[in-house]
Amino acid sequence: MRIEIPREVERFGPIMFHDVQKVYELDAGLKFSKNEGKENSTIVRLSYESLHEIEEQMVIVVPVMEERIKLIEGVLSGIPNGCLVVIVSNSPREPIDRFYIEKDAIEHAARFMGKQVMVVHQKDPVLAKACETSGYKYILDEEGNIKSGKAEGMILSTIIAYLTGRKYIGFIDSDNFFPGAVLEYVKEYCAGFILTKSKYAMVRISWHSKPKIVESNLFFAKRGRASEHTNRVLNSLVSNYTGYGTEIIKTGNAGEHAMTIDLAAKLDFSSGYSIEPYHYINMLERFGGIIGNPEKDVLRNRIEVFQIESRNPHLHEVKGDEHVKDMSRAAMEVIYRSPICPEPLKQEIMEDLYNRKLLKRGDKLSETLSYYPAIVNADLKKFAKALENQPYAKHLKADLSKKIKNAQPGLIRDKVDEKGDHLPDQGKVLEMK
């Protein structure tokens, strides 16, 4: 791959938000090929071998919920062979066992592909028991089952990824029509991890375009309908603290993203569609120096967030206007409810919701989200022990002798001083338009 270095960077304490990077060539050749040459200092050449080394240390998670089998097989075919694939399904098991059909089809395809694949069901009682015995009961309902929901599935897959001993975790939506786009996303995850100088890093994909049919022609829209608003508000939040306007964040709702497992293990989660923008919020809450001091290891290593623009258009199943509205409402709520969100920005969010008719003027923003602490709050040794008799236990090879933890355990949002002394001085806040 040939990719430019980030043109701009926004620093927020130990967090570095890199601007969107452009990919100039998807395959730039082998490590010792003739075209090695002398590279321009603003363009980095990443060989096939270098990318492959990262792939062999990566878990790719594909959440599934009643997707078409052909669509899942297409996504599976696009994931590089070196990656370990973890399918977390929450498809119904009655009256027809949809999960059994998915599992059989995926494992059959994987045999022909020679691919390592783990298929688990979100409601598996064994996984629920593992959560209970490890002390991570936050995602269990009153009956002791794992709750339905995207965030709960992502938490489960993050724990599984950590237990594999691999260094990176990436997420790919299961409704992507282009296997080539899936392949590209994973390559771009790898590119970000090669470029980072920290063990705490995140890579988020900025779609090149989303094709739509307009009057019988294809129109390649540059931005998603919800993303534009989420990005603007996230940038306003950063600006409220730095005192300088910024447009650095362009991937607020990015479903395609990857993290080093060291960072993934330390981040809190929020429920539903809010989970992607909450990654940004929680990094600012926990490591931005707003609520207490960042832990020493993070200060020493820093956190790097890369945003890479894909070359392939992103085409996924159309889920309707209501889906877009739900996603946008959740993103606005998770920012609004954050203890680091200043009052002027809360007013801006409410006005935005009223103007877009996502909320009736005069109504209050209801609290619909749940929050879950980072997986470092679980006893991962006990979690692994509970899975030792499962067929996929052979993939769980992590060295758990050294326990990881956050300097401030539990939810960071619960550690806030109610006086609001951590919020920016309202007299000095910039007016955001």
Side-chain angles (χ1 to χ4, degrees), residues 2 85 102 130 211 254 357 403:
R2 214 175 294 268
V85 183
E102 291 170 351
K357 295 182 171 51
K403 186 170 179 169

Side-chain angles (χ1 to χ4, degrees), residues 176-392:
N176 195 314
F177 280 100
F178 295 157
V182 172
L183 175 63
E184 181 189 354
Y185 297 157
V186 179
K187 297 290 184 184
E188 285 158 353
Y189 295 162
C190 297
F193 295 134
I194 292 172
L195 295 175
T196 188
K197 297 178 176 65
S198 173
K199 64 178 182 179
Y200 302 114
M202 177 182 290
V203 183
R204 300 172 76 92
I205 302 299
S206 175
W207 297 334
H208 180 272
S209 59
K210 292 180 72 174
K212 300 175 182 177
I213 297 175
V214 179
E215 295 181 356
S216 300
N217 293 312
L218 271 179
F219 174 73
F220 293 85
K222 195 69 177 173
R223 294 183 182 87
R225 289 174 286 174
S227 300
E228 190 173 347
H229 298 276
T230 305
N231 294 337
R232 179 177 57 79
V233 175
L234 284 171
N235 284 316
S236 291
L237 177 63
V238 173
S239 299
N240 268 270
Y241 283 91
T242 64
Y244 291 89
T246 183
E247 295 180 352
I248 197 72
I249 296 174
K250 299 180 176 72
T251 55
N253 285 332
E256 275 70 29
H257 64 281
M259 293 174 273
T260 58
I261 204 70
D262 289 306
L263 178 60
K266 286 179 169 289
L267 290 180
D268 299 333
F269 292 81
S270 64
S271 60
Y273 298 122
S274 71
I275 191 165
E276 284 89 8
Y278 189 60
H279 284 324
Y280 277 113
I281 296 294
N282 191 241
M283 278 190 286
L284 294 172
E285 290 174 343
R286 187 170 282 283
F287 306 116
I290 303 170
I291 305 172
N293 296 318
E295 49 194 87
K296 291 180 182 178
D297 194 49
V298 172
L299 283 171
R300 188 164 49 248
N301 285 279
R302 73 189 178 187
I303 295 172
E304 291 194 87
V305 180
F306 294 90
Q307 302 175 96
I308 300 177
E309 184 180 69
S310 61
R311 302 298 301 200
N312 279 280
H314 183 91
L315 183 62
H316 61 93
E317 286 202 298
V318 178
K319 296 179 179 177
D321 290 340
E322 203 56 44
H323 169 76
V324 176
K325 290 177 181 178
D326 290 343
M327 192 188 312
S328 199
R329 270 193 296 262
M332 293 299 107
E333 182 184 344
V334 82
I335 303 170
Y336 183 93
R337 297 292 176 199
S338 171
I340 65 172
C341 185
E343 192 58 38
L345 184 55
K346 288 185 176 183
Q347 294 172 11
E348 183 183 329
I349 290 170
M350 293 302 292
E351 192 61 32
D352 178 71
L353 291 170
Y354 293 147
N355 291 340
R356 289 193 286 149
K357 295 182 171 51
L358 297 180
L359 203 62
K360 289 183 180 178
R361 191 166 289 276
D363 285 358
K364 292 182 179 180
L365 185 60
S366 56
E367 296 189 38
T368 64
L369 302 177
S370 300
Y371 298 88
Y372 306 113
I375 68 165
V376 295
N377 291 275
D379 186 328
L380 296 176
K381 269 189 177 180
K382 290 182 178 178
F383 200 104
K385 180 73 174 172
L387 303 181
E388 64 182 0
N389 295 322
Q390 298 305 303
Y392 50 78

Side-chain angles (χ1 to χ4, degrees), residues 4-15:
E4 68 176 351
I5 64 171
R7 294 172 183 264
E8 303 285 342
V9 61
E10 186 82 40
R11 293 173 173 83
F12 199 110
I15 307 170

Side-chain angles (χ1 to χ4, degrees), residues 111-128:
R111 285 185 67 184
F112 283 87
M113 297 175 190
K115 198 182 295 285
Q116 298 181 79
V117 179
M118 286 175 57
V119 187
V120 300
H121 195 275
Q122 193 163 321
K123 296 288 189 180
D124 187 344
V126 174
L127 291 171

